[in-house]
C-alpha cells in the first residue's frame, strides 16, 4: 500500500476495473483488489464493478478489499445483486457517509452517478462518482446533469471523478462544460489503454480547483495488467484553511487609470514643441 498523506489532505482515486477482466483477458477480481490496495486511497470511485446484464451481480470480493486496503463500500439501493449503481461504486476509509443521492444520467445508454456527502478525518467533502457515455451528445447532457447535482445545497468542497470517456479538451469536448466550475481540466494524465496509456479518459476534478495538490496515473506491473484502464490518483487538501483560501478569488491587479485622450494628445504636442 502506498504511503498515507499528511494531515489535512486525502487521497482520491478513480478506477475503471473493466468488470475485473485484465488485458490478458483473464477474469481476476483478486488482482483488481490488489491494485486497489496498492493505491492507498481514502476514497476511490470504481466503474464497471458489476455485470452489466442479467443478474447484474457484483464482481469484487468486498471483504478482501476491506482486509487489504481498509476500504468499505458506500451502500446503494439498486434492486439487484450488484455492488453499485449502474456499475459505479464508492469505497471509503475512515469516513462517515452523511447523505447519498443516486442519479440516473440522461443519454442513449443506461448510466448513473453517485453523489455522497462524506465526513473524512481530513475534512468534509462531497464526492461525485460517474461513468459517462460513449456518445458525445449523451456526454453533453450528462455533464449538465452532474453540474446541477454536484453543487446543490452544499458548501462542502466537491471532488468529481470517474471514467469520462472523453480525452479531447477543445471546443467540441463535452468536458469543457465542467469549466470553470470543476478543474483543473488541463492537468489530465493518460490512463488508457493500461499497457500503453495515451488517452486521459479517467479524471479527478475538484471545486475549487486549487484543492488538488497532485495528480498521477497509478502505473505498476500489476495495474498495467489487471484492467484496460490505469487508476488515477490525486492528493486533495480538505482542511478548512485550504478550502477557504482556494475558494477566495485572487485579488485583481490594480490598474493605473488611463488618462483621457485629449490630455494625452496635449502632452504629446508639448513634447513635440507644437
Amino acid at each position: 500500500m502506498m504511503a498515507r498523506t499528511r494531515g489535512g489532505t486525502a487521497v482520491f482515486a478513480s478506477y475503471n476495473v473493466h468488470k475485473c477482466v485484465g488485458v490478458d483477458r483473464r477474469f481476476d477480481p483478486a488482482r483488481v483488489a490488489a491494485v486497489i490496495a496498492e493505491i492507498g486511497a481514502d476514497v476511490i470511485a470504481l466503474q464497471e464493478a458489476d455485470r452489466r446484464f442479467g443478474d447484474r451481480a457484483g464482481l469484487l470480493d468486498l471483504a478482501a478489499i476491506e482486509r487489504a486496503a481498509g476500504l468499505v463500500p458506500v451502500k446503494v439501493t439498486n434492486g439487484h445483486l450488484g455492488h453499485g449503481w449502474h456499475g459505479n461504486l464508492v469505497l471509503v476509509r475512515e469516513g462517515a457517509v452523511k447523505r447519498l443521492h443516486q442519479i440516473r444520467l440522461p443519454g442513449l445508454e443506461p448510466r448513473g452517478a453517485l453523489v455522497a456527502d462524506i465526513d473524512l478525518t481530513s475534512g468534509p467533502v462531497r464526492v461525485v462518482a460517474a461513468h459517462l457515455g460513449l456518445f458525445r451528445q449523451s456526454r453533453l447532457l450528462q455533464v449538465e446533469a452532474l453540474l446541477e447535482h454536484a453543487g446543490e445545497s452544499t458548501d462542502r468542497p466537491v471532488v468529481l471523478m470517474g471514467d469520462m470517456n472523453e480525452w479531447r479538451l477543445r471546443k467540441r469536448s463535452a468536458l469543457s462544460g465542467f469549466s470553470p466550475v470543476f478543474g483543473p481540466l488541463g492537468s489530465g494524465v493518460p490512463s488508457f489503454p493500461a499497457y500503453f496509456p495515451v488517452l486521459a479518459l479517467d479524471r479527478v476534478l475538484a471545486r475549487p480547483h486549487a484543492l488538488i495538490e497532485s495528480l498521477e496515473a497509478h502505473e505498476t506491473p500489476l495495474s498495467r495488467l489487471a484492467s484496460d484502464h490505469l487508476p488515477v490518483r490525486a492528493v486533495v487538501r480538505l482542511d478548512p484553511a485550504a478550502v477557504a483560501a482556494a475558494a477566495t478569488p485572487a485579488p485583481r491587479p490594480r490598474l493605473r487609470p488611463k488618462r483621457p485622450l485629449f490630455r494625452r494628445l496635449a502632452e504629446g504636442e508639448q513634447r513635440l514643441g507644437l
Side-chain angles (χ1 to χ4, degrees):
M1 193 186 308
M2 297 185 68
R4 299 294 302 281
T5 57
R6 64 186 183 277
T9 63
V11 174
F12 291 79
S14 178
Y15 188 19
N16 185 330
V17 300
H18 195 230
K19 301 180 182 67
C20 298
V21 176
V23 296
D24 57 358
R25 300 185 181 181
R26 278 179 50 208
F27 173 72
D28 193 342
R31 191 165 55 182
V32 170
V35 173
I36 292 171
E38 283 183 347
I39 297 167
D42 296 289
V43 181
I44 184 168
L46 304 180
Q47 301 87 48
E48 299 191 17
D50 302 332
R51 298 187 192 279
R52 190 166 185 182
F53 302 106
D55 61 6
R56 292 181 281 178
L59 299 169
L60 296 163
D61 185 341
L62 297 180
I65 291 175
E66 183 177 3
R67 289 192 299 271
L71 295 162
V72 296
V74 173
K75 295 186 183 300
V76 302
T77 302
N78 55 27
H80 53 75
L81 300 176
H83 298 317
W85 174 246
H86 290 278
N88 295 289
L89 176 64
V90 175
L91 303 173
V92 181
R93 181 204 317 274
E94 297 176 4
V97 179
K98 297 299 184 180
R99 176 181 179 269
L100 176 66
H101 190 189
Q102 300 174 202
I103 304 169
R104 293 184 185 276
L105 293 177
L108 295 175
E109 312 159 90
R111 297 278 177 169
L114 295 172
V115 180
D117 288 347
I118 305 172
D119 289 348
L120 300 173
T121 55
S122 50
V125 65
R126 171 166 288 182
V127 172
V128 182
H131 187 183
L132 301 191
L134 296 173
F135 303 101
R136 177 179 176 272
Q137 193 59 39
S138 294
R139 290 196 298 273
L140 290 170
L141 296 172
Q142 290 159 4
V143 167
E144 186 177 340
L146 289 174
L147 288 171
E148 180 182 346
H149 289 282
E152 180 187 24
S153 305
T154 188
D155 54 0
R156 292 170 177 253
V158 184
V159 176
L160 187 155
M161 50 190 174
D163 178 358
M164 302 301 168
N165 265 319
E166 179 80 83
W167 64 91
R168 294 173 291 261
L169 289 178
R170 296 183 180 178
K171 186 176 180 181
R172 286 180 56 79
S173 170
L175 298 183
S176 62
F178 285 131
S179 181
V181 180
F182 284 96
L185 284 174
S187 63
V189 292
S191 58
F192 181 87
Y195 56 86
F196 187 70
V198 292
L199 302 178
L201 295 185
D202 304 277
R203 297 274 176 166
V204 179
L205 306 173
R207 188 197 76 179
H209 304 192
L211 294 179
I212 294 184
E213 287 193 347
S214 65
L215 179 69
E216 63 183 359
H218 177 75
E219 190 169 0
T220 66
L222 195 58
S223 69
R224 286 193 294 269
L225 189 61
S227 169
D228 61 347
H229 287 246
L230 291 176
V232 174
R233 181 183 189 272
V235 176
V236 182
R237 290 206 65 84
L238 293 178
D239 60 280
V243 173
T248 303
R252 294 184 178 180
R254 235 178 129 179
L255 300 176
R256 186 177 177 184
K258 291 184 177 180
R259 292 166 291 176
L261 177 60
F262 72 86
R263 183 176 173 185
R264 283 183 281 142
L265 289 173
E267 290 175 353
E269 289 176 350
Q270 288 177 2
R271 285 196 296 270
L272 293 172
L274 299 176

